[in-house]
Amino acid sequence: MNITIKGPGEIVVRFIDQNGKALLQETIRVSGSGMVEAKRDINLSLETLSGQVLVSPVLIQQGEKQQVTFDGEHHSSFTRKRCQEIGCTQNITEDAAHGHAQPLQEGAIHLPSAQK
Amino acid sequence: MAQGSIMLQVSVIQDIAGPVTSIPPVTVMAFHFLSFDKTTVREITAEKTGGILAGGSNMPIGYSGSPFAVLRLFLRGGEEVFFLAPSHVSSPQFEAGFAILEIEELGVTSIGSNEMNLSRLIGGHAYLDEVE
């Protein structure tokens, strides 16, 4: 899937499994003029010891002047479709489509708070 | 019309709750339309903090110290020139219509059943000057 961002600012995307658990989070910051754009390609699955886990992207945050699309579609309609594909419940799907997902559990590596 | 000084800057903070057995690579691009006037690349750089932790040995896996960054300019007629980071010396002038800053950092798949955690920040920027 590709994430396309038009305009400067910061977006936060969480990638949730069918149970709504966030496994991956990406914060993408773009700086420049109002004409700057950015693109990020990412797979919608993660490998664990139990096998492949399918995930859906959830746009948690975006800058006021930013436009964000997933694979060229409005992010919320893409998220709704992807959540249905991977077997999320209706509640999880609707929450995700509205930009809500549980925070990521704290991992073993901690970046300096200034970077977060 | 020439746009003067232009900044292209992008960063990605990638966190995985883990443990997982595969870490996806990072490829992120920032781009900007130019005016086919005379463009000079003044600076291009990239940096990284954080990384990958493998559970089996608790040893950090660090290959390259910095991500790979390249700026590409697309010239009249479709020709392309590229500039590698780090560079802090002005390039020759080019009549360019489009600039792409691309930053890449590796992904890994564990050998055996080692589980991994991840938290890393990858970013870079390019400064360009476009004059008539």
Side-chain angles (χ1 to χ4, degrees):
Chain A
M1 178 199 74
N2 69 66
I3 302 169
T4 303
I5 305 160
K6 290 186 178 177
E10 176 180 299
I11 73 163
V12 177
V13 183
R14 288 188 190 136
F15 296 81
I16 61 169
D17 65 11
Q18 64 173 357
N19 300 313
K21 183 185 176 191
L23 301 178
L24 166 66
Q25 175 172 301
E26 293 206 353
T27 302
I28 304 172
R29 294 177 183 151
V30 188
S31 298
S33 75
M35 295 164 58
V36 70
E37 299 186 20
K39 188 176 168 190
R40 164 97 176 94
D41 290 319
I42 188 162
N43 283 336
L44 293 181
S45 65
L46 290 167
E47 298 292 334
T48 70
L49 280 182
S50 325
Q52 190 182 55
V53 179
L54 301 178
V55 294
S56 173
V58 181
L59 182 66
I60 302 296
Q61 178 189 316
Q62 71 182 102
E64 280 182 13
K65 295 178 180 174
Q66 288 183 306
Q67 294 175 29
V68 181
T69 56
F70 294 159
D71 268 353
E73 278 185 56
H74 190 274
H75 56 84
S76 65
S77 54
F78 182 96
T79 296
R80 185 175 279 112
K81 277 198 297 192
R82 179 64 182 171
C83 281
Q84 289 166 349
E85 276 175 15
I86 68 173
C88 295
T89 63
Q90 183 70 20
N91 283 347
I92 291 171
T93 299
E94 285 309 311
D95 281 351
H98 289 95
H100 302 298
Q102 292 175 4
L104 207 67
Q105 287 180 353
E106 193 160 303
I109 305 170
H110 310 282
L111 291 180
S113 57
Q115 304 300 334
K116 294 280 191 181
Chain B
M1 185 179 169
Q3 299 171 57
S5 292
I6 295 163
M7 178 173 77
L8 279 174
Q9 182 161 273
V10 65
S11 69
V12 178
I13 300 172
Q14 191 181 48
D15 287 301
I16 284 187
V20 295
T21 55
S22 184
I23 301 290
V26 172
T27 300
V28 66
M29 291 180 283
F31 43 96
H32 191 102
F33 286 95
L34 302 168
S35 313
F36 287 114
D37 285 309
K38 293 173 183 170
T39 295
T40 302
V41 180
R42 183 159 27 100
E43 176 169 298
I44 170 171
T45 190
E47 61 180 324
K48 172 177 90 171
T49 185
I52 299 167
L53 189 69
S57 57
N58 271 340
M59 289 290 288
I61 304 171
Y63 295 98
S64 50
S66 60
F68 182 81
V70 59
L71 179 82
R72 287 183 282 160
L73 292 182
F74 293 86
L75 312 182
R76 209 180 286 280
E79 191 187 346
E80 179 186 329
V81 287
F82 67 95
F83 308 86
L84 296 172
S87 173
H88 311 287
V89 179
S90 295
S91 74
Q93 288 184 325
F94 292 92
E95 293 181 354
F98 194 56
I100 300 179
L101 172 65
E102 186 168 344
I103 300 167
E104 292 183 317
E105 173 70 3
L106 60 90
V108 293
T109 299
S110 74
I111 299 169
S113 57
N114 280 340
E115 296 183 328
M116 296 180 285
N117 268 281
L118 164 81
S119 188
R120 58 184 173 181
L121 186 160
I122 295 120
H125 72 240
Y127 296 149
L128 297 81
D129 292 313
E130 192 184 40
V131 297
E132 290 178 3

XYZ file of all heavy atoms in Angstrom, chain A residues 33-75:
330
model
N 7.758 23.673 1.441
C 6.735 24.647 1.085
C 5.362 23.971 1.084
O 5.256 22.759 1.282
C 7.026 25.197 -0.312
O 6.684 24.221 -1.278
N 4.329 24.734 0.834
C 2.977 24.177 0.747
C 2.827 23.196 -0.397
O 1.858 22.428 -0.432
N 3.794 23.197 -1.318
C 3.699 22.312 -2.486
C 4.401 20.979 -2.267
O 4.383 20.116 -3.146
C 4.334 22.999 -3.708
C 3.600 24.243 -4.154
S 4.639 25.223 -5.269
C 4.958 24.056 -6.569
N 5.046 20.798 -1.121
C 5.797 19.564 -0.917
C 4.838 18.380 -0.771
O 3.728 18.511 -0.236
C 6.725 19.684 0.322
C 5.932 19.709 1.619
C 7.762 18.579 0.329
N 5.259 17.243 -1.307
C 4.465 16.015 -1.186
C 5.388 14.890 -0.733
O 6.609 14.969 -0.905
C 3.808 15.648 -2.518
C 2.857 16.718 -3.016
C 2.103 16.285 -4.276
O 2.016 15.084 -4.548
O 1.610 17.191 -4.971
N 4.795 13.825 -0.180
C 5.592 12.676 0.245
C 4.832 11.394 -0.028
O 3.599 11.389 -0.113
C 5.938 12.784 1.718
N 5.611 10.332 -0.154
C 5.002 9.034 -0.440
C 5.759 7.959 0.326
O 6.993 8.021 0.415
C 5.071 8.756 -1.948
C 4.311 7.555 -2.398
C 4.386 7.452 -3.914
C 3.886 6.099 -4.366
N 4.160 5.865 -5.780
N 5.027 7.000 0.853
C 5.631 5.902 1.616
C 4.932 4.615 1.205
O 3.703 4.515 1.263
C 5.418 6.175 3.115
C 5.639 4.994 4.028
C 7.021 5.007 4.624
N 7.171 3.911 5.585
C 7.687 2.717 5.262
N 8.094 2.449 4.048
N 7.799 1.774 6.184
N 5.715 3.620 0.784
C 5.166 2.302 0.438
C 5.388 1.358 1.605
O 6.484 1.310 2.163
C 5.859 1.733 -0.806
C 5.476 2.490 -2.063
O 4.289 2.827 -2.203
O 6.357 2.756 -2.886
N 4.354 0.572 1.928
C 4.501 -0.351 3.061
C 3.606 -1.567 2.868
O 2.490 -1.451 2.327
C 4.204 0.362 4.403
C 4.559 -0.542 5.573
C 2.776 0.863 4.483
C 4.723 0.195 6.890
N 4.110 -2.732 3.302
C 3.306 -3.960 3.234
C 2.270 -3.980 4.343
O 2.530 -3.507 5.442
C 4.201 -5.201 3.405
C 4.959 -5.522 2.149
O 4.547 -5.154 1.051
N 6.079 -6.203 2.300
N 1.138 -4.600 4.048
C 0.072 -4.683 5.050
C 0.059 -6.057 5.713
O -0.994 -6.677 5.896
C -1.284 -4.356 4.416
C -1.433 -2.903 3.956
C -2.809 -2.660 3.369
C -1.180 -1.943 5.112
N 1.239 -6.537 6.061
C 1.337 -7.774 6.843
C 2.639 -7.742 7.623
O 3.599 -7.073 7.234
C 1.285 -9.003 5.940
O 2.412 -9.041 5.096
N 2.642 -8.458 8.749
C 3.846 -8.588 9.566
C 4.088 -10.068 9.825
O 3.143 -10.856 9.905
C 3.662 -7.856 10.904
C 3.630 -6.329 10.832
C 3.122 -5.746 12.137
C 5.020 -5.787 10.527
N 5.353 -10.439 9.970
C 5.703 -11.835 10.239
C 5.967 -12.006 11.736
O 6.762 -11.270 12.315
C 6.961 -12.222 9.457
C 6.812 -12.144 7.940
C 5.866 -13.197 7.393
O 5.710 -14.266 8.038
O 5.272 -12.941 6.329
N 5.303 -13.011 12.329
C 5.563 -13.361 13.725
C 5.836 -14.863 13.792
O 5.713 -15.560 12.790
C 4.357 -13.032 14.623
O 3.301 -13.938 14.309
C 3.879 -11.601 14.424
N 6.175 -15.346 15.001
C 6.422 -16.791 15.135
C 5.160 -17.592 14.825
O 5.230 -18.736 14.412
C 6.900 -17.107 16.554
C 8.378 -16.824 16.836
C 8.734 -17.227 18.250
C 9.279 -17.535 15.835
N 4.003 -16.975 15.017
C 2.738 -17.675 14.719
C 2.373 -17.604 13.245
O 1.349 -18.153 12.846
C 1.592 -17.065 15.523
O 2.029 -16.649 16.759
N 3.174 -16.904 12.476
C 2.872 -16.788 11.049
C 2.592 -15.353 10.649
O 2.850 -14.415 11.408
N 2.033 -15.219 9.471
C 1.789 -13.884 8.927
C 0.546 -13.257 9.572
O -0.482 -13.936 9.721
C 1.580 -13.994 7.418
C 1.557 -12.673 6.696
C 1.303 -12.842 5.207
O 0.322 -13.453 4.793
N 2.198 -12.314 4.399
N 0.650 -12.017 9.961
C -0.488 -11.282 10.522
C -0.870 -10.168 9.552
O -0.035 -9.317 9.222
C -0.135 -10.675 11.900
C -1.317 -9.895 12.459
C 0.300 -11.766 12.867
N -2.108 -10.187 9.109
C -2.578 -9.131 8.210
C -2.973 -7.917 9.026
O -3.560 -8.044 10.111
C -3.777 -9.630 7.390
C -3.514 -10.857 6.527
C -4.797 -11.284 5.802
C -2.407 -10.591 5.520
N -2.669 -6.744 8.528
C -2.971 -5.515 9.272
C -3.680 -4.506 8.372
O -3.634 -4.602 7.138
C -1.695 -4.869 9.868
C -1.088 -5.752 10.932
C -0.679 -4.547 8.781
N -4.328 -3.574 9.041
C -5.001 -2.474 8.342
C -4.441 -1.145 8.850
O -4.219 -0.988 10.062
C -6.505 -2.528 8.616
O -7.127 -1.374 8.084
N -4.224 -0.188 7.975
C -3.725 1.118 8.430
C -4.868 1.959 9.005
O -5.994 1.916 8.499
C -3.196 1.748 7.139
C -4.056 1.179 6.067
C -4.415 -0.213 6.506
N -4.555 2.713 10.047
C -5.526 3.640 10.639
C -4.839 4.998 10.778
O -3.811 5.104 11.457
C -5.987 3.154 12.035
C -7.016 4.120 12.614
C -6.537 1.743 11.972
N -5.399 6.001 10.141
C -4.810 7.344 10.238
C -5.278 7.974 11.542
O -6.450 8.311 11.702
C -5.227 8.210 9.048
C -4.616 9.613 9.032
C -3.103 9.564 8.836
C -5.255 10.465 7.925
N -4.350 8.117 12.476
C -4.662 8.626 13.812
C -4.600 10.143 13.852
O -5.367 10.806 14.558
C -3.658 8.047 14.839
C -3.704 6.514 14.826
C -3.898 8.593 16.230
C -5.023 5.933 15.252
N -3.670 10.697 13.098
C -3.426 12.145 13.189
C -2.894 12.648 11.855
O -2.175 11.933 11.167
C -2.382 12.366 14.281
C -1.951 13.797 14.490
C -0.764 13.865 15.447
O -0.732 13.197 16.470
N 0.223 14.675 15.116
N -3.277 13.857 11.492
C -2.708 14.504 10.316
C -2.673 15.997 10.533
O -3.428 16.533 11.367
C -3.511 14.172 9.049
C -4.873 14.817 8.986
C -5.655 14.419 7.735
O -6.536 13.579 7.806
N -5.323 15.032 6.619
N -1.812 16.684 9.798
C -1.736 18.132 9.902
C -2.970 18.789 9.293
O -3.625 18.212 8.425
N -3.255 19.992 9.762
C -4.478 20.695 9.326
C -4.547 20.883 7.822
O -5.614 20.797 7.218
C -4.547 22.069 9.994
C -5.058 22.029 11.414
C -5.163 23.421 12.003
O -5.084 24.411 11.254
O -5.323 23.510 13.235
N -3.401 21.137 7.204
C -3.410 21.445 5.774
C -2.983 20.250 4.926
O -2.703 20.408 3.745
C -2.491 22.641 5.502
C -2.990 23.915 6.155
C -2.050 25.076 5.917
C -2.577 26.344 6.583
N -1.625 27.456 6.496
N -2.918 19.091 5.530
C -2.457 17.924 4.790
C -3.622 17.112 4.228
O -4.669 16.990 4.868
C -1.627 17.011 5.700
C -0.260 17.576 6.027
C 0.555 16.621 6.859
O 0.128 16.160 7.907
N 1.751 16.325 6.387
N -3.388 16.559 3.042
C -4.314 15.581 2.466
C -3.596 14.246 2.439
O -2.462 14.161 1.965
C -4.706 15.969 1.057
C -5.534 17.247 0.969
C -5.780 17.637 -0.476
O -5.829 16.795 -1.355
N -5.919 18.919 -0.713
N -4.265 13.206 2.944
C -3.636 11.888 3.031
C -4.508 10.866 2.321
O -5.726 10.805 2.556
C -3.457 11.466 4.511
C -2.779 10.101 4.600
C -2.652 12.512 5.269
N -3.891 10.084 1.432
C -4.628 8.989 0.775
C -3.859 7.687 0.954
O -2.634 7.684 1.086
C -4.824 9.258 -0.736
O -3.550 9.464 -1.347
C -5.696 10.472 -0.976
N -4.622 6.587 0.975
C -4.046 5.241 1.005
C -4.346 4.595 -0.342
O -5.527 4.430 -0.688
C -4.675 4.406 2.135
C -4.372 4.888 3.537
C -5.192 4.519 4.598
C -3.262 5.682 3.822
C -4.928 4.926 5.905
C -2.990 6.106 5.118
C -3.822 5.726 6.161
N -3.330 4.247 -1.078
C -3.505 3.678 -2.431
C -4.417 4.549 -3.294
O -5.230 4.027 -4.075
C -4.064 2.248 -2.357
C -2.950 1.208 -2.344
O -1.772 1.583 -2.530
O -3.270 0.029 -2.151
N -4.322 5.845 -3.146
C -5.088 6.774 -3.966
C -6.515 6.996 -3.500
O -7.234 7.826 -4.066
N -6.956 6.268 -2.483
C -8.326 6.402 -1.969
C -8.323 7.276 -0.716
O -7.305 7.366 -0.017
C -8.865 5.045 -1.503
C -9.416 4.162 -2.572
C -10.027 2.912 -1.941
O -10.914 3.045 -1.078
O -9.589 1.824 -2.309
N -9.480 7.833 -0.402
C -9.604 8.518 0.890
C -9.237 7.514 1.986
O -9.669 6.356 1.936
C -11.021 9.038 1.083
C -11.140 9.954 2.269
N -11.369 9.487 3.540
C -11.018 11.295 2.370
C -11.397 10.508 4.379
N -11.187 11.620 3.692
N -8.460 7.969 2.967
C -7.927 7.021 3.948
C -9.007 6.264 4.705
O -8.863 5.070 4.975
C -6.988 7.744 4.923
C -7.603 8.900 5.639
N -8.343 8.750 6.776
C -7.614 10.230 5.350
C -8.766 9.936 7.171
N -8.345 10.852 6.327
